[in-house]
Amino acid sequence: MKKIFFILIPAMLLAFFPFIAHLATEGVAPPFADTDDYFASIAIFVAAVYAGYKIYVSRERLKQNAKELERAKNFNNMVLSGIADGIYATDLEKNVTLWSKGAERITGHKAEGVIGKPCKDFLSHTDENGTALCGTHRCPLTVMETKKILPQQVVTAYKSDGQRILVAVTAAPLTENSNIVGVVEAFRDATKERELHRIKESLINMLIHDFKNPLSLIGVVLETMSSDKKDINERFLKMAYQAVGELDNMVINLMEIAKMENVFELNKETFSAEDALKEAVKKAEVTAIVSKHRLLLLPLSPPHGGGQGEEPDMPQVSADRYMLMRVMGNLLGNAIKFTPPEGEIIVSAANSLPLDRGGKGGGEIKIMVSDTGPGIPKQFHKLIFDKYWQADAGKRSERRGVGLGLAFCKMVVEAHGGRIWVESEQGEGSRFIFTIPVTEKH
């Protein structure tokens, strides 16, 4: 109704203006015989109605266009806010005209603090040597001159707190009517990605190195065994067996970690923990003898606080026997590898108190592998269980393998609901400990 009045009232006023004017001046209505004035009034009325309608339509169209523009603006802002990568744009003077939420998250710089300012004041792209890229051919803003999309490159940038990060950037010129009006750049934080790439490269290099040593040893052994001296052949055959075992262990660790990271299911069975420990020690005996180590298996210790002189029952465990044997093999292999000749490796176990301290729970068994090796500094006690951590330790002369064996042990133990840790002091040997829940007694 309001829309109709908006059109009709102005039109009626214009159409009947002569009638109202005559009435006001003459005191009487004009005669209808004045046909020309009458039809002129009608014509004015029709024209006014049409003009009012056109005004109304234009007004509604402007409102609709404004709503559509607002929706488009909100949609664009929503899309920009949802993109994890940083996106920003500059004008021809290299001042920032757009700064996305992703750019805020990556750099810590808020949009209100950067819009209208030169991008070099807060991004400060540099190469890996710290050389500033602004003004060089590697600067992303050079696309204004080249008029081509910049392929992705990794450069450095600085966050609002001064932290240096690596970013993968690409840029393209902004055009309007075939004229370049600025640059748009997309970037993402590549710090972790580049670090992972570096660690993988280190791992590959060390795998090549660690595979080469046993293979070279096998070659020397085979060449030596071509002689007729039986005593020498027997000794070198044991060395070749040990070298093949090292290669086999590294390959199996790689395969099993890859399998566990995808789909991993435990094939549990109930068996004697004592039998499993005896089997693990027996398998490691040959390697220990060849490397001149003393390998011992101690009897099961009673739980902490248990009666002295009591003969503890050896518990049954419900576990994946194969995986548990692999854990023991890795721990014993490390102990033998890093303990000097004539050193001692001791395997022991102890019952822990029931989990609920009420006798209903199954409790857990604690298994320990101790050595008289060089020990591990305290700051590395947790890191040694991280996958590929040893690959990152290539700078240290005390590197302990490729960092897969202990990561595998941690994954298996935790999958069983147990824990694993190390107790060690540098220069005083190490003791690796893990727990496995035992079968409940009914």
Side-chain angles (χ1 to χ4, degrees), residues 153-354:
Q153 60 177 335
V154 177
V155 299
T156 62
Y158 292 88
K159 300 179 69 171
S160 58
D161 59 2
Q163 179 186 352
R164 178 178 177 269
I165 59 173
L166 292 174
V167 291
V169 304
T170 183
L174 285 174
T175 59
E176 184 178 26
N177 298 325
S178 302
N179 296 319
I180 294 178
V181 295
V183 173
V184 62
E185 177 182 323
F187 63 95
R188 58 184 172 83
D189 191 342
T191 306
K192 291 182 179 179
E193 179 183 322
R194 180 56 67 92
E195 179 65 12
L196 180 61
H197 179 71
R198 185 186 67 80
I199 290 175
K200 284 185 176 180
E201 281 189 341
S202 299
L203 173 66
I204 292 171
N205 291 334
M206 282 186 294
L207 281 173
I208 293 171
H209 177 269
D210 288 352
F211 276 27
K212 182 177 181 297
N213 287 345
L215 287 172
S216 298
L217 178 59
I218 293 170
V220 172
V221 168
L222 293 175
E223 182 180 356
T224 304
M225 287 182 65
S226 61
S227 67
D228 296 330
K229 296 180 180 180
K230 184 178 179 180
D231 56 336
I232 295 179
N233 287 350
E234 186 175 339
R235 179 164 60 90
F236 276 91
L237 184 60
K238 290 181 179 178
M239 293 174 63
Y241 175 82
Q242 183 179 7
V244 170
E246 289 181 10
L247 283 173
D248 182 61
N249 197 50
M250 282 189 281
V251 171
I252 290 176
N253 280 339
L254 281 169
M255 293 174 61
E256 288 180 346
I257 284 179
K259 181 175 67 176
M260 291 174 70
E261 287 180 332
N262 293 306
V263 179
F264 174 57
E265 293 182 2
L266 295 174
N267 297 315
K268 287 189 176 182
E269 57 181 299
T270 301
F271 56 90
S272 166
E274 181 179 23
D275 292 345
L277 293 182
K278 286 180 178 178
E279 182 182 344
V281 170
K282 185 175 182 180
K283 285 184 176 180
E285 278 181 349
V286 174
T287 306
I289 292 171
V290 171
S291 55
K292 299 180 180 179
H293 291 96
R294 187 183 178 200
L295 180 58
L296 300 174
L297 173 60
L298 300 183
L300 181 73
S301 302
H304 181 68
Q308 298 300 318
E310 296 180 2
E311 186 68 27
D313 294 331
M314 178 61 71
Q316 297 282 312
V317 295
S318 178
D320 188 317
R321 186 184 182 96
Y322 170 75
M323 288 295 181
L324 191 60
M325 296 299 295
R326 293 283 303 138
V327 170
M328 286 300 301
N330 277 331
L331 295 179
L332 287 170
N334 279 349
I336 293 171
K337 183 176 181 179
F338 299 108
T339 299
E342 311 302 333
E344 189 174 69
I345 293 99
I346 298 175
V347 178
S348 58
N351 267 333
S352 294
L353 292 175

Side-chain angles (χ1 to χ4, degrees), residues 359-431:
K360 296 181 180 180
E364 60 184 12
I365 184 172
K366 184 188 294 183
I367 299 172
M368 294 156 280
V369 177
S370 306
D371 63 55
T372 55
I376 302 170
K378 284 187 176 180
Q379 63 266 33
F380 302 143
H381 284 191
K382 291 184 178 180
L383 292 173
I384 58 175
F385 294 100
D386 291 342
K387 186 176 67 170
Y388 302 140
W389 179 79
Q390 295 299 350
D392 194 32
K395 299 169 281 198
R396 297 187 291 273
S397 59
E398 65 271 22
R399 181 173 67 85
R400 298 171 64 91
V402 295
L404 293 173
L406 291 178
F408 169 78
C409 292
K410 183 173 184 287
M411 293 172 74
V412 171
V413 169
E414 290 182 350
H416 281 85
R419 299 164 292 127
I420 186 169
W421 69 96
V422 64
E423 295 175 355
S424 180
E425 294 285 346
Q426 193 164 12
E428 298 182 10
S430 304
R431 178 162 62 171

Side-chain angles (χ1 to χ4, degrees), residues 113-175:
V114 300
I115 297 293
K117 296 181 181 178
C119 63
K120 66 181 180 63
D121 289 352
F122 45 87
L123 276 181
S124 304
H125 287 325
T126 65
D127 60 19
E128 294 181 355
N129 298 320
T131 304
L133 298 183
C134 291
T136 71
H137 70 282
R138 291 189 62 192
C139 177
L141 300 187
T142 56
V143 296
M144 283 192 288
E145 288 79 34
T146 63
K147 301 180 181 180
K148 295 179 181 179
I149 295 176
L150 177 73
Q152 180 176 287
Q153 60 177 335
V154 177
V155 299
T156 62
Y158 292 88
K159 300 179 69 171
S160 58
D161 59 2
Q163 179 186 352
R164 178 178 177 269
I165 59 173
L166 292 174
V167 291
V169 304
T170 183
L174 285 174
T175 59

